Amino acid sequence: YSFKYESNIYQYDSKNAKIIAYGAKGLNKNGIVDSLRPTQDVKLWKVHFVENPHYLNVIYDKYRHVYYRFVLDGIPYKNGKYFHSAIDKPLRLMFFNEKFEIIKEVDMPAYTYAPSTWFVTKEGLFISPTNLKNPYSDPNHLRFHIFKLHKK
């Protein structure tokens, strides 16, 4: 399992009742996001979310014996006279071996994929190209791109 604002991946060892932490910083050199003090200021929450990485669920691929995790990288909140939102954050796909060592990281095309719509089958990793800013996304059709991991 993992936490949204921390790069580490955790594994519970039920035999020894221990939790093992695996560092998984990758391209983001700061693996733990600074905490935000409790506040009612919604703008501070928005800035914090946009400017810091957001680590998504870890999914195991039993066919290729690897783990996948998407990361929404942090970006500056201010963009000239405009402001970025969560949908502007770059999406990165991380691949891990069974020891949670990083195999590869891929920067995904901007405004293409919905990082919450993905699953694994024997054919590969299915990712939906239904980002809200994707001009080719059609709400009347469910589409997926298949990513296939090949060994060298």
Side-chain angles (χ1 to χ4, degrees):
Y1 63 92
S2 66
F3 296 100
K4 291 181 182 181
Y5 296 107
E6 182 181 345
S7 66
N8 289 338
I9 296 173
Y10 296 92
Q11 183 178 46
Y12 180 69
D13 178 355
S14 59
K15 290 180 184 177
N16 299 312
K18 290 185 179 181
I19 296 174
I20 303 164
Y22 299 93
K25 290 182 188 176
L27 296 173
N28 178 19
K29 303 303 179 210
N30 182 12
I32 299 176
V33 173
D34 291 334
S35 61
L36 181 64
R37 290 183 175 173
T39 178
Q40 297 298 321
D41 187 343
V42 175
K43 183 181 176 191
L44 285 177
W45 284 103
K46 287 180 183 178
V47 170
H48 187 266
F49 181 74
V50 171
E51 291 190 344
N52 289 289
H54 185 158
Y55 299 91
L56 302 177
N57 293 341
V58 177
I59 290 188
Y60 183 63
D61 181 339
K62 67 181 182 181
Y63 305 101
R64 284 158 281 284
H65 306 288
V66 297
Y67 291 89
Y68 305 108
R69 177 172 65 181
F70 281 106
V71 178
L72 291 167
D73 285 319
I75 55 174
Y77 182 67
K78 193 156 172 66
N79 180 20
K81 63 181 181 178
Y82 300 102
F83 298 93
H84 284 124
S85 70
I87 199 140
D88 298 309
K89 294 176 75 158
L91 182 65
R92 185 165 33 101
L93 176 58
M94 299 179 78
F95 299 83
F96 300 90
N97 64 19
E98 289 186 303
K99 295 178 182 178
F100 295 106
E101 297 167 329
I102 297 170
I103 299 170
K104 186 169 183 69
E105 294 183 73
V106 176
D107 291 322
M108 305 300 281
Y111 306 117
T112 303
Y113 296 103
S116 58
T117 311
W118 55 306
F119 58 91
V120 175
T121 71
K122 193 181 276 189
E123 287 76 32
L125 174 65
F126 284 65
I127 307 172
S128 179
T130 53
N131 183 287
L132 294 174
K133 285 191 174 182
N134 185 345
Y136 303 106
S137 180
D138 179 356
N140 297 316
H141 294 90
L142 186 58
R143 293 182 9 198
F144 287 91
H145 294 171
I146 304 172
F147 286 73
K148 297 183 179 192
L149 186 63
H150 299 282
K151 292 184 178 181
K152 289 185 176 183

